[in-house]
Amino acid sequence: MSCRNALAAFLASPSAAGWRDLPVFAEGAEAARACAAADAERAAGHIVAPAPERIFAALTLTPLDAVRVVVLGQDPYPTPGHANGLAFSYAGPPPLPRSLTNIYKERTADLGQAPPADGDLAGWAKQGVLLLNTALTVREGASKAGSHLSLGWGKVTDAVIAAVSRERAHAVFLLWGAPAQAKRPLIDESRHLVIASAHPSPLSARRGFFGSKPFSRANAWLEAQGERPVDW
């Protein structure tokens, strides 16, 4: 399957309701062009992650009318076999990606919950947590993080973030890392809560991610708006 085929399948699915109306998903628009660029990378012999059928997993599992929290990262894991289309999620065998290990450490410190044995965050997505990266694909391999940030995905994810800000009444945006925080101007902070911190990567987690208490702060704000909390 190609990215372009995966895009067509996503747009034809019931889960795309709300998302498919965004101009970036129109025929030949930004999403199609980003997919064409990702497909060209594969055609040139590069391994692109995640697998095509998982590129739009975040939008598929969390329709626009269900979004309550947005967790925004940079791009998929470049380590072979790690990316699954949900930001920070991992469905493979141990060990877990180090960023996810740090997310679980902060969750334990924040909520007192023991870390789970697996890294699959689909349960969060099904509760309305949009696990979005600023780019939806990446080249696999060491030192390839950020390799697809210039393929055009930024315009797609900008439109997604702006749609959540515009269409949802109350949402929490967890902006982890500088690329995620650069999206802050897209968010109407008179209606939504933004919690910005360093990225959970081992390179930066101690510079503001640890101790940021994103899970309890998000739930407290949701409950104050009359919304149910997330079971993190």
Side-chain angles (χ1 to χ4, degrees), residues 12 23 49 54-56 68 77 82 87 91-92 104 107 133 142 149-150 164 187 191 211 214 216 220 224:
R54 297 292 302 178
I55 290 173
F56 300 98
R68 299 189 295 129
Y77 294 125
H82 279 197
Y104 283 166
R107 190 187 75 156
N133 282 309
L149 292 179
S150 62
V164 174
I187 302 164
R191 300 168 55 213
S216 62

Side-chain angles (χ1 to χ4, degrees), residues 19 27 38 40 49-50 99 103-104 108-109 115 159 162 177 185 213 222:
W19 302 128
E27 185 174 354
S99 291
I103 290 169
Y104 283 166
T108 296
K213 300 185 180 297
L222 287 170

